[in-house]
Amino acid sequence: MNKISKRVAGGLALIWVITGALAACSSNQADKPGDPAPGKPEGKITTISFWHGTKDTEKEGLDKIIKAFNEKNPDIKVEATFIAQQGEGQNEKLLAAIAGGNPPDVAYFDRFEIGSWAARGSLTDLTDRATADNIDSFDYYPFAKDEATYKDRLYGLPMDTDSRLLYYNKDQFKEVGLDPENPPRTIEELELAAEKLTKKDGKRFERIGFIPWYDQGWIYTWGWSFGGDFYDKDTGKVTAEDPKIVEALQWMVDYAKKYNIEDVAAFTDSAGSAAENPFLTGQLSMTVSGPWRTSGIKLYKPDLNYGVAPIPTPTGDNFTTWAGGWSFIIPKGAKNEDAAWEFIKFAAGKEGQKIYSETTGNLASIKSVNDELHKDDPIMKSFKDILPNAHHRPVISAGSLLWNELARARDMAIHEKGTPQELLEAVSKKVNDEINK
């Protein structure tokens, strides 16, 4: 996964066109439980609309949650609607429905976007309901709940999550004399291992040991591993120019120079996906990725002899990671808030998350669920065990802009189109200016 980032838009004309087209989606919505519509008897079934953009096993997991909830709550019926490309920045239809006053009752929503949507007033504040129902007892990882919180108010209930670790090919480690049971812990050890593992014929890499900016090699990944901080909660300012983050980006720049960025770019540009992913084909010996990579390995390369380890740090300790994931939100203007809350409380609670994680193999945002489901698989256990040390991206009104600008700064830096210091200072200025508008 690069499971992240693309942007929301939607002009007024688009909003009216889409909301008109979607009006039928909610035409059968009932009023809140205990509030019978005129002429309707008490005890009627309340139908709530639920929008999501999931497919395959994720959709299967949500379908099972809905079935279990409907069986336990015969007075509430959840009707799910697939909205193509909903999530990860592509939420034009949801934005239009909210603006048009005809949103679904519930949406499956990237937690990363909660800050920017809450800032514009597009989400329902869930804080009082969560307090009344003691949501703290759900045992969410702190980072997951924090990511669903904007300015001390809760706007979503966390669902699944992930983390990032270093994958490495054990057979290739043995081949070059490295200990496959002792992967790199420090940045220096990572560099030395990468050098031994790399095979190059002229300008062409037959195999490359490691590429810091490949897969999940974002500035977030290395900035946190180097000990940096991207946001100051006390001042409300983005701090992309933190000295440790500058150091991390400078390391990536130096690496790009050593291996010749144009030669590395030729390698990555030709790299395949799925069964042709270079880590699976043996062309890339080490990579930083998430637990989703394991499903591809099981499907396409089940005999791959690999391990995972914490992302190396300059000092070889203080290992960390970062996590994202999804959530359930109630859009502003939802017609059936009470019933919607009952559904998301179930879906994002222990029972719902267990159903989902058992179906998908994804990590839950509830520790006890992970402890129960991911104790035997050593790979998944490693991803689970690092979660207490996980960071989350800043919950700010310009979170998407920060993501995009950091990605741009990284790419410019490794192509020597600016120094890390000046590029990261420019990121902070642009994003802080946007926050202050």
Side-chain angles (χ1 to χ4, degrees), residues 340-417:
W341 171 252
E342 292 303 315
F343 171 59
I344 69 173
K345 190 172 60 173
F346 174 84
K350 292 181 181 179
E351 186 172 352
Q353 291 212 31
K354 183 178 178 183
I355 291 170
Y356 191 78
S357 292
E358 284 179 323
T359 304
T360 64
N362 293 3
L363 292 168
S365 62
I366 293 177
K367 183 179 183 301
S368 60
V369 174
N370 286 333
D371 287 343
E372 179 181 351
L373 298 182
H374 300 296
K375 59 187 177 183
D376 297 325
D377 182 336
I379 298 294
M380 288 303 295
K381 184 176 183 301
S382 295
F383 282 104
K384 172 187 78 74
D385 288 348
I386 196 74
L387 281 172
N389 297 331
H391 293 272
H392 64 81
R393 288 162 287 179
V395 184
I396 56 177
S397 59
S400 296
L401 178 63
L402 176 57
W403 172 269
N404 292 336
E405 289 302 310
L406 286 172
R408 179 173 172 271
R410 179 199 66 181
D411 293 344
M412 290 184 70
I414 62 177
H415 287 92
E416 297 186 78
K417 295 180 179 178

Side-chain angles (χ1 to χ4, degrees), residues 114-162:
I114 282 179
S116 58
W117 281 58
R120 70 160 67 98
S122 298
L123 306 180
T124 299
D125 186 340
L126 306 176
T127 311
D128 293 342
R129 292 180 184 274
T131 300
D133 287 343
N134 193 20
I135 289 302
D136 284 341
S137 69
F138 282 28
D139 193 29
Y140 291 123
Y141 291 105
F143 73 81
K145 189 179 177 188
D146 288 348
E147 195 175 28
T149 303
Y150 178 70
K151 291 189 174 180
D152 298 323
R153 306 298 291 180
L154 185 71
Y155 288 93
L157 291 188
M159 193 54 182
D160 67 348
T161 195
D162 54 31

Side-chain angles (χ1 to χ4, degrees), residues 119-395:
R120 70 160 67 98
S122 298
L123 306 180
T124 299
D125 186 340
L126 306 176
T127 311
D128 293 342
R129 292 180 184 274
T131 300
D133 287 343
N134 193 20
I135 289 302
D136 284 341
S137 69
F138 282 28
D139 193 29
Y140 291 123
Y141 291 105
F143 73 81
K145 189 179 177 188
D146 288 348
E147 195 175 28
T149 303
Y150 178 70
K151 291 189 174 180
D152 298 323
R153 306 298 291 180
L154 185 71
Y155 288 93
L157 291 188
M159 193 54 182
D160 67 348
T161 195
D162 54 31
S163 56
R164 284 138 184 85
L165 293 173
L166 179 74
Y167 283 73
Y168 66 100
N169 187 310
K170 290 188 173 185
D171 288 339
Q172 292 179 356
F173 266 50
K174 291 178 187 176
E175 174 194 320
V176 299
L178 294 169
D179 185 347
E181 302 309 320
N182 286 289
R185 295 174 61 87
T186 68
I187 295 297
E188 183 180 8
E189 290 171 352
L190 178 65
E191 290 177 325
L192 292 172
E195 191 170 350
K196 285 187 175 183
L197 290 159
T198 297
K199 294 181 178 180
K200 195 175 185 183
D201 182 7
K203 290 181 174 293
R204 187 178 70 85
F205 287 101
E206 296 177 359
R207 182 174 78 195
I208 188 165
F210 184 67
I211 306 172
W213 52 89
Y214 191 71
D215 202 339
Q216 291 297 294
W218 304 102
I219 292 184
Y220 277 128
T221 302
W222 295 111
W224 278 316
S225 290
F226 273 66
D229 200 344
F230 291 85
Y231 183 67
D232 186 331
K233 285 187 176 181
D234 293 334
T235 64
K237 299 291 186 184
V238 167
T239 56
E241 74 284 9
D242 179 304
K244 294 297 184 182
I245 299 173
V246 174
E247 182 183 348
L249 185 53
Q250 184 62 57
W251 170 68
M252 297 169 82
V253 170
D254 294 342
Y255 200 99
K257 287 179 181 178
K258 177 178 179 178
Y259 286 92
N260 191 333
I261 184 59
E262 299 306 325
D263 294 348
V264 178
F267 176 89
T268 55
D269 288 348
S270 63
S273 58
E276 299 304 314
N277 178 279
F279 183 72
L280 273 66
T281 61
Q283 295 170 289
L284 179 64
S285 300
M286 299 181 287
T287 189
V288 172
S289 196
W292 58 86
R293 183 67 59 212
T294 63
S295 60
I297 293 172
K298 289 174 183 176
L299 182 61
Y300 301 115
K301 193 74 171 177
D303 60 344
L304 183 65
N305 185 18
Y306 74 100
V308 295
I311 299 167
T313 66
T315 57
D317 55 11
N318 296 319
F319 299 114
T320 187
T321 189
W322 65 275
W326 291 78
S327 63
F328 291 95
I329 55 99
I330 300 176
K332 196 71 172 179
K335 306 297 189 298
N336 298 293
E337 281 188 29
D338 291 346
W341 171 252
E342 292 303 315
F343 171 59
I344 69 173
K345 190 172 60 173
F346 174 84
K350 292 181 181 179
E351 186 172 352
Q353 291 212 31
K354 183 178 178 183
I355 291 170
Y356 191 78
S357 292
E358 284 179 323
T359 304
T360 64
N362 293 3
L363 292 168
S365 62
I366 293 177
K367 183 179 183 301
S368 60
V369 174
N370 286 333
D371 287 343
E372 179 181 351
L373 298 182
H374 300 296
K375 59 187 177 183
D376 297 325
D377 182 336
I379 298 294
M380 288 303 295
K381 184 176 183 301
S382 295
F383 282 104
K384 172 187 78 74
D385 288 348
I386 196 74
L387 281 172
N389 297 331
H391 293 272
H392 64 81
R393 288 162 287 179
V395 184

